[in-house]
Amino acid sequence: MTGVATGNNISTYHFGDYVFDVKRRELVFGADSDAAQTSKTARFSSAESLIFCYLLDHPDEVCDKDLLLDIGWQGRPISPNSLNVAIANIRRHFALTPQILDIKSTPKKGYSLHLNCKVIAGYGYQEPENVVTDAYPISDEIIAASSHLTSPDTASSSGD
């Protein structure tokens, strides 16, 4: 449960033309394009954000419905349809680009997220490896201090 685990410092997920800002619970489409004014932002609810982060951390795995309910609502009482609504809301944000991301339902088991691109997790203030930016340069001290936190193998999302 990388993106939502206590003490973890994943701040963003980059995939395709999307960036998901974990703390702001915002999905930005067109973030990597040259024209910043063409990017679009969508806000996720707290439960949607937690569920989406978990699915991003466990691509191609069927994630149990009860586990997703616990992750999204942390034991709070909810209606029986809340998880279905949250998944529908997440899917809606990707309706225009179904070739990037698909969330499949497995009856009586759960949901699985399938991506047709690589996911790169951004940690703290550090930019992901393949994103070049002049706006927020990273000093050598920050890179050296954070190098023990991540390695190229852990920067992309994978199963447990």
Side-chain angles (χ1 to χ4, degrees):
M1 192 159 60
T2 309
V4 294
T6 304
N8 192 297
N9 62 349
I10 290 180
S11 60
T12 57
Y13 291 92
H14 297 252
F15 52 98
D17 288 334
Y18 291 94
V19 175
F20 184 69
D21 185 317
V22 175
K23 289 185 181 189
R24 290 184 177 164
R25 301 186 331 241
E26 290 180 344
L27 178 70
V28 180
F29 175 71
D32 292 334
S33 70
D34 293 333
Q37 65 271 20
T38 61
S39 65
K40 296 179 182 168
T41 304
R43 184 112 166 122
F44 281 42
S45 72
S46 177
E48 291 164 3
S49 177
L50 293 168
I51 291 166
F52 187 56
C53 287
Y54 188 84
L55 291 172
L56 284 168
D57 288 338
H58 298 85
D60 302 318
E61 291 180 26
V62 176
C63 300
D64 182 70
K65 286 183 180 183
D66 290 332
L67 175 63
L68 293 175
L69 286 167
D70 287 342
I71 288 168
W73 290 275
Q74 302 167 352
R76 294 186 307 251
I78 54 170
S79 78
N81 203 32
S82 294
L83 180 58
N84 296 336
V85 170
I87 294 293
N89 289 340
I90 295 167
R91 284 176 173 151
R92 188 183 76 241
H93 296 301
F94 299 96
L96 296 176
T97 56
Q99 69 279 10
I100 297 285
L101 177 145
D102 184 28
I103 300 175
K104 295 184 179 181
S105 174
T106 302
K108 300 186 185 210
K109 290 189 180 181
Y111 294 94
S112 57
L113 176 109
H114 304 277
L115 290 161
N116 293 322
C117 58
K118 185 176 179 182
V119 175
I120 300 171
Y123 293 85
Y125 296 107
Q126 180 180 352
E127 291 292 322
E129 294 172 14
N130 70 344
V131 175
V132 178
T133 178
D134 294 322
Y136 302 102
I138 301 172
S139 71
D140 291 337
E141 293 86 17
I142 293 173
I143 292 171
S146 66
S147 66
H148 71 281
L149 299 175
T150 62
S151 69
D153 293 335
T154 60
S156 66
S157 178
S158 63
D160 293 342

